[in-house]
């Protein structure tokens, strides 16, 4: 019975933290929910617009998914909902199969949420979270930076009040420049003012309030309400000055009420078309969520369960699919706000969902006069904070291969599209890894005088003997590098006419595949024909277990030694006396 209860708590973390829920947690969660709700209302509207969907869809995607994640998620402070990058990916995928604004477009968004949810859920059930490791940090960094630039440039048309098309930078920029002469001045004033205020409030509002002796808690709260201030001020300006009649685009009617139940289209052809995009949305969303959740959990010495996060996010996306939403994931900015505001449990997300639901029922009529330019400004300011241009310099300085993956992702995303960018980054990363693994570092090692340690002869003053060649292979042996290692050993042997023993130090070898084993056997026979014995030292247990299951150990011409020092002392005992005399 106890085992069954533990298994149930694994799939429903609420059964664990819910038992210890108290008044203090309620107060912290309630305060965080108020702050995140205020932040999430304009964000939800803006991100739905970015996804090419009616603004109300953003509100719908911020209600039931949050409630469901509170039941299944393992992070105490992750805030789930629409995010910029996933919204861009949704727009790219949906626009490939339908016209934005059409019923088919909304059906595609629902299908993406459904497929993403099913993929995440399946990965969680079968514990496949490791698959996301294929998306390396340079690839993710390049993708997010490129996506931020795409999103920001794509929103400039709303700031300028002009028409522009395109999903890549090479399409968007010429389109913007070609229509620049049609700029709508009132829209530009509203959009530029909103952008400037949001940038200023993000960096300077809190210090300004603190300088005016406003309590820190109040200053922090007010500084996070910058988007709400802009929304209210712009609505008042549009109403008082009748700017809608002067051509300023506004949100217009937003349906009032709770999310309707929706049934994603059971269209297998549509699903097959959207499956690659849904897979990428699921992986990107999971990586972003887990990164944020782990960072915040570490600050409180808590932990998350990645496989359970897959289940939580999968269920949240399924909830979005059946309540007229679109794909969701954990957001960086609002999760940090949720954490800083004192959220103690996932109940903060549930309270936020209740706040969004109340806004959907009572506040949507007030948003009729909200300028589209203000939502565009909200998006631009939010996504520019995600771009990390410094990563280019840091990665180039540290590892050129990682820089190549980052740059490939960045350039292909900007020039071709988001899906192609991710695939290019993964492909370059895998190819570079295979290239590096196919050229393993092999060091000739010698004995450090006075010790039992061995180091690279090119880096240290060590003792060597003409009759023994010590080699340390700093890579597991597999099909891609087997021939390269053969070549290195042959070259080293050719330069040593007095050589009688080759000792392979296997301390860094974690596995040997069948191709590498065959190469080892061939190399051993060639050495034997030349009067040279092959020995192994410091072989790891799992590697030795596999070697014993083959004929290699029966034909080994030399011995297997627990340490490289033991091997050398067995083959050249006098070297130990020289070492300690030095």
């Amino acid at each position: 019975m106890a085992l069954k209860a533990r298994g149930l708590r694994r799939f429903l973390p609420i059964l664990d933290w819910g038992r210890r829920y108290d008044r203090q947690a309620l107060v912290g969660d309630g305060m965080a929910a108020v702050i995140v709700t205020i932040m999430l209302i304009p964000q939800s509207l803006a991100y739905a617009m970015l996804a090419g969907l009616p603004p109300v869809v953003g509100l719908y995607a911020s209600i039931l998914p949050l409630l469901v994640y509170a039941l299944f998620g393992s992070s105490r402070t992750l805030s789930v909902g629409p995010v910029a990058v996933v919204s861009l990916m949704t727009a790219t995928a949906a626009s490939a199969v339908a016209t934005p604004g059409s019923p088919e477009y909304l059906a595609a968004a629902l299908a993406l949420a459904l497929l993403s949810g099913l993929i995440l859920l399946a990965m969680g059930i079968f514990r496949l979270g490791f698959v996301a490791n294929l998306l390396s940090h340079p690839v993710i960094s390049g993708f997010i930076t490129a996506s931020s630039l795409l999103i920001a440039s794509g929103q400039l048309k709303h700031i300028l009040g002009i028409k522009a098309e395109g999903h890549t930078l090479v399409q968007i920029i010429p389109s913007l420049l070609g229509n620049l002469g049609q700029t709508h001045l009132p829209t530009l004033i509203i959009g530029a003012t909103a952008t400037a205020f949001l940038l200023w409030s993000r960096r300077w509002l809190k210090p300004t309030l603190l300088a005016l002796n406003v309590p820190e808690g109040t200053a922090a709260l007010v500084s996070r309400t910058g988007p709400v201030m802009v929304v209210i001020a712009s609505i008042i300006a549009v109403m008082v000055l009748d700017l809608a009649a002067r051509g300023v685009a506004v949100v217009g009617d937003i349906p009032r009420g709770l999310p309707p139940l929706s049934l994603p289209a059971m269209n297998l052809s549509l699903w097959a078309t959207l499956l690659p995009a849904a897979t990428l949305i699921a992986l990107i969303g999971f990586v972003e969520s887990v990164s944020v959740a782990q960072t915040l959990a570490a600050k409180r010495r808590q932990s998350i369960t990645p496989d359970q996060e897959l289940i939580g996010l999968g269920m949240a996306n399924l909830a979005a699919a059946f309540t007229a939403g679109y794909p969701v994931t954990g957001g960086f900015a609002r999760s940090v706000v949720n954490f800083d505001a004192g959220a103690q449990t996932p109940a903060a997300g549930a309270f936020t969902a209740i706040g969004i639901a109340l806004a959907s029922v009572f506040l949507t009529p007030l948003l009729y006069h909200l300028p589209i330019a203000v939502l565009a400004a909200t998006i631009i300011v939010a996504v520019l904070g995600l771009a990390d241009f410094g990563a280019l310099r840091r990665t180039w300085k540290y590892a050129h291969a990682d820089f190549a993956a980052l740059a490939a992702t960045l350039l292909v995303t900007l020039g071709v599209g988001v899906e192609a960018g991710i695939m290019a980054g993964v492909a370059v990363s895998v190819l570079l890894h295979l290239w590096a693994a196919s050229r393993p570092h092999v060091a000739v090692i010698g004995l450090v005088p006075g010790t039992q340690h061995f180091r690279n002869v090119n880096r240290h003053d060590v003792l060597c003997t003409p009759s023994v060649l010590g080699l340390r292979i700093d890579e597991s042996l597999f099909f891609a590098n087997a021939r390269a290692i053969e070549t290195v050993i042959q070259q080293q042997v050719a330069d040593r006419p007095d050589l009688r023993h080759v000792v392979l130090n296997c301390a860094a070898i974690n596995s040997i595949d069948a191709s590498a084993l065959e190469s080892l056997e061939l190399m051993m026979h060639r050495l034997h024909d030349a009067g040279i014995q092959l020995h192994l030292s410091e072989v790891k247990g799992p590697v030795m277990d596999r070697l014993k299951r083959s004929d290699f150990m029966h034909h080994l011409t030399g011995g297997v030694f627990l340490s490289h020092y033991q091997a050398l002392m067995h083959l050249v005992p006098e070297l130990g006396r020289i070492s300690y005399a030095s």
Side-chain angles (χ1 to χ4, degrees):
M1 191 72 178
L3 184 63
K4 183 178 179 181
R6 284 197 299 272
L8 194 58
R9 284 200 297 270
R10 174 181 169 256
F11 286 102
L12 283 171
I14 189 174
L15 297 178
D16 184 26
W17 60 262
R19 292 182 302 131
R20 299 187 295 273
Y21 202 73
D22 54 20
R23 181 187 179 91
Q24 181 180 358
L26 176 63
V27 172
D29 289 342
M31 180 61 68
V34 170
I35 296 172
V36 175
T37 299
I38 293 171
M39 176 184 182
L40 192 52
I41 291 173
Q43 268 195 1
S44 298
L45 299 171
Y47 290 153
M49 183 182 75
L50 173 60
L53 297 164
V56 71
V57 175
L59 296 177
Y60 292 164
S62 302
I63 299 177
L64 192 59
L66 276 72
L67 291 170
V68 169
Y69 180 82
L71 295 175
F72 294 96
S74 66
S75 171
R76 300 295 181 93
T77 53
L78 188 70
S79 181
V80 172
V83 300
V85 173
V86 170
S87 296
L88 174 65
M89 297 178 73
T90 299
T92 301
S95 62
V97 298
T99 303
S102 66
E104 293 78 13
Y105 189 92
L106 180 57
L110 291 177
L112 284 169
L114 177 67
L115 291 173
S116 298
L118 291 174
I119 291 167
L120 289 165
L121 190 60
M123 290 176 65
I125 292 173
F126 293 104
R127 301 177 182 270
L128 299 177
F130 68 89
V131 173
N133 294 335
L134 291 174
L135 299 173
S136 66
H137 179 72
V139 170
I140 292 295
S141 178
F143 174 72
I144 290 179
T145 298
S147 297
S148 300
L149 293 175
L150 284 178
I151 292 169
S153 60
Q155 294 306 303
L156 288 176
K157 62 184 178 183
H158 298 300
I159 300 291
L160 298 170
I162 62 177
K163 291 184 178 181
E165 303 296 334
H167 294 290
T168 66
L169 209 60
V170 295
Q171 297 170 340
I172 294 171
I173 297 301
S175 184
L176 286 172
L177 294 176
N179 293 288
L180 202 57
Q182 307 299 318
T183 299
H184 187 250
L185 187 58
T187 300
L188 175 59
I189 292 173
I190 290 174
T193 302
T195 303
F197 176 78
L198 289 172
L199 289 171
W200 176 83
S201 65
R202 191 169 192 167
R203 183 169 184 179
W204 298 109
L205 183 54
K206 182 178 178 180
T208 301
L209 293 173
L210 291 175
L212 296 173
N213 296 321
V214 175
E216 184 171 358
T218 304
L221 175 61
V222 173
S223 66
R224 294 183 183 118
T225 61
V228 177
M229 295 181 194
V230 170
V231 166
I232 295 173
S234 63
I235 290 174
I236 293 174
V238 169
M239 294 176 64
V240 172
L241 301 175
D242 196 19
L243 294 178
R246 299 184 183 183
V248 173
V250 296
V251 170
D253 284 317
I254 298 178
R256 185 175 182 175
L258 296 175
L261 292 178
S262 58
L263 183 64
M266 299 298 150
N267 185 331
L268 295 182
S269 176
L270 176 65
W271 288 12
T273 302
L274 294 176
L275 185 59
T279 302
L280 292 177
I281 288 173
L283 290 176
I284 291 292
F286 172 61
V287 170
E288 183 176 352
S289 292
V290 166
S291 299
V292 176
Q294 287 178 332
T295 299
L296 296 180
K299 291 183 177 181
R300 291 182 180 172
R301 298 190 178 183
Q302 297 171 346
S303 63
I304 66 164
T305 306
D307 289 324
Q308 186 60 35
E309 282 301 290
L310 283 166
I311 292 174
L313 292 172
M315 294 300 292
N317 276 279
L318 292 179
F322 289 100
T323 54
Y326 72 103
V328 298
T329 192
F332 175 77
R334 62 174 170 269
S335 294
V336 172
V337 170
N338 195 42
F339 178 90
D340 291 341
Q344 300 297 313
T345 72
F351 296 153
T352 300
I354 294 172
I356 299 294
L358 292 174
S360 298
V361 173
F362 298 109
L363 299 182
T364 51
L366 303 177
L367 299 173
Y368 180 94
H369 294 284
L370 175 60
I372 297 293
V374 169
L375 293 181
T378 302
I379 293 172
I380 290 172
V381 173
V383 299
L384 288 181
L386 300 176
D388 184 8
F389 299 105
L392 291 165
R393 177 184 54 80
R394 294 193 305 270
T395 309
W396 171 260
K397 184 177 180 181
Y398 181 74
H400 289 0
D402 287 337
F403 175 82
L406 190 158
T409 307
L410 180 70
L411 294 175
V412 175
T413 300
L414 291 176
V416 182
V418 292
E419 294 177 17
I422 298 173
M423 299 305 294
V426 171
V428 170
S429 295
V430 171
L431 289 174
L432 287 173
H433 173 74
L434 290 175
W435 179 78
S438 70
R439 302 169 71 253
H441 179 260
V442 180
V444 178
I445 55 176
L447 179 64
V448 177
T451 74
Q452 296 183 13
H453 300 294
F454 291 79
R455 293 294 183 269
N456 191 328
V457 297
N458 294 323
R459 294 177 178 270
H460 301 273
D461 292 326
V462 293
L463 297 175
C464 296
T465 176
S467 63
V468 178
L469 172 64
L471 294 174
R472 188 187 70 232
I473 303 173
D474 296 330
E475 183 71 61
S476 291
L477 307 186
F478 70 118
F479 64 91
N481 62 23
R483 293 292 176 86
I485 291 171
E486 275 188 59
T487 300
V488 170
I489 293 176
Q490 288 174 355
Q491 291 173 345
Q492 293 294 336
V493 170
D495 295 337
R496 292 171 169 80
D498 298 327
L499 188 65
R500 295 293 174 266
H501 304 279
V502 172
V503 184
L504 294 184
N505 185 304
C506 303
I509 297 176
N510 295 316
S511 65
I512 301 175
D513 75 358
S515 297
L517 180 62
E518 186 175 342
S519 291
L520 275 179
E521 291 178 336
L522 180 61
M523 183 174 57
M524 177 178 65
H525 292 310
R526 288 175 178 171
L527 291 173
H528 179 69
D529 292 342
I532 301 171
Q533 288 185 315
L534 177 67
H535 308 268
L536 306 178
S537 71
E538 302 184 24
V539 184
K540 293 183 177 180
V543 176
M544 180 58 73
D545 292 341
R546 294 187 68 178
L547 290 177
K548 287 179 179 178
R549 295 199 294 268
S550 71
D551 293 333
F552 178 78
M553 297 303 298
H554 299 298
H555 301 144
L556 184 64
T557 56
V560 179
F561 299 92
L562 186 63
S563 70
H564 201 83
Y565 182 78
Q566 183 186 70
L568 194 63
M569 292 303 100
H570 176 80
L571 299 173
V572 193
E574 62 272 18
L575 196 63
R577 293 189 292 272
I578 297 174
S579 171
Y580 282 98
S582 299

